[in-house]
Amino acid sequence: IHATDAKDLSSFSKALCIDKSNTLWIGTEGSGLYAYDIKNKSWNIYQSNSLQKSVNNNIIRDIQLDNDNNLWIATDGGGLNKLNTISKEFQYYQYNATQNNTLNTDALYDLHFDKSGNLWIGTFNGGINILKAIQPPFFTSRQFDVEKKQGLRSVLIIEEDEEKRVWLGTDGGGIFYFDLE
């Protein structure tokens, strides 16, 4: 497929994944979320400025599928969006200063599901947030040394190794890991 096959794939692709129904999901940096049905060669576009229920921000940094075929969408400014790929219903998880156990920022960069089903969320200036499979839903760790100007401030990439360590790459703060054992 070519970008010209889509109606308005005007910004570059930031994230890709294919779900169980053979739909290619494309997260873009500025023009929203695109779904390409590989079998039927047809497009659906989800943009925050559309009238339909959709993503709440068009800057998408990462997308991941969970075991239930839900699409999790990290946006830069709109927090975390969850799309049920069957019903096409959206849920939104955003920062709320008046509530405990919410995201601590809406600027999200990277998503990673660990083997327990927890969703690790790398943020800009919010450290790491974890959407736990078991309640309460969010855990936040900032671990930032203000004097040394290093630590978990802007987490840009998350990976898990075979020894159940989750590695976090930061913007100028180094590399960290959490030992899940």
Side-chain angles (χ1 to χ4, degrees):
I1 65 172
H2 297 282
T4 56
D5 295 336
K7 292 184 179 177
D8 181 26
L9 192 55
S10 59
S11 58
F12 69 91
S13 301
K14 186 67 178 165
L16 300 171
C17 70
I18 299 176
D19 69 17
K20 294 175 185 173
S21 68
N22 220 16
T23 298
L24 173 66
W25 293 94
I26 305 166
T28 68
E29 185 130 333
S31 61
L33 178 69
Y34 291 74
Y36 181 69
D37 184 320
I38 296 170
K39 180 180 176 186
N40 297 322
K41 297 183 180 175
S42 63
W43 291 92
N44 280 319
I45 303 170
Y46 301 89
Q47 294 177 322
S48 65
N49 56 356
S50 69
L51 297 176
Q52 69 184 31
K53 188 136 174 143
S54 190
V55 293
N56 66 358
N57 188 292
N58 288 332
I59 302 173
I60 297 171
R61 299 286 185 190
D62 197 10
I63 54 179
Q64 294 288 322
L65 278 168
D66 65 18
N67 291 334
D68 295 325
N69 214 34
N70 292 306
L71 187 69
W72 294 84
I73 306 157
T75 71
D76 191 355
L80 184 63
N81 291 207
K82 176 184 172 185
L83 171 62
N84 179 315
T85 60
I86 307 302
S87 70
K88 304 299 188 247
E89 290 292 318
F90 280 86
Q91 281 183 275
Y92 310 103
Y93 301 85
Q94 294 179 286
Y95 169 69
N96 185 335
T98 64
Q99 292 181 344
N100 293 329
N101 299 319
T102 68
L103 290 167
N104 67 353
T105 180
D106 286 329
L108 310 182
Y109 273 51
D110 191 59
L111 302 174
H112 173 78
F113 279 99
D114 66 21
K115 291 176 178 85
S116 299
N118 299 315
L119 178 60
W120 293 68
I121 306 163
T123 71
F124 180 76
N125 281 337
I128 191 81
N129 286 233
I130 303 170
L131 177 58
K132 298 174 89 176
I134 301 171
Q135 301 297 326
F138 282 99
F139 165 79
T140 301
S141 177
R142 281 199 116 160
Q143 297 184 10
F144 184 74
D145 186 331
V146 176
E147 291 178 17
K148 293 182 182 177
K149 295 186 179 179
Q150 62 185 14
L152 288 178
R153 190 164 135 188
S154 295
V155 179
L156 304 180
I157 189 108
I158 307 165
E159 290 294 327
E160 183 178 5
D161 66 21
E162 293 176 1
E163 296 177 20
K164 292 191 176 185
R165 293 178 295 202
V166 176
W167 294 87
L168 311 170
T170 68
D171 181 10
I175 296 176
F176 295 80
Y177 75 88
F178 283 90
D179 188 338
L180 298 177
E181 293 292 316

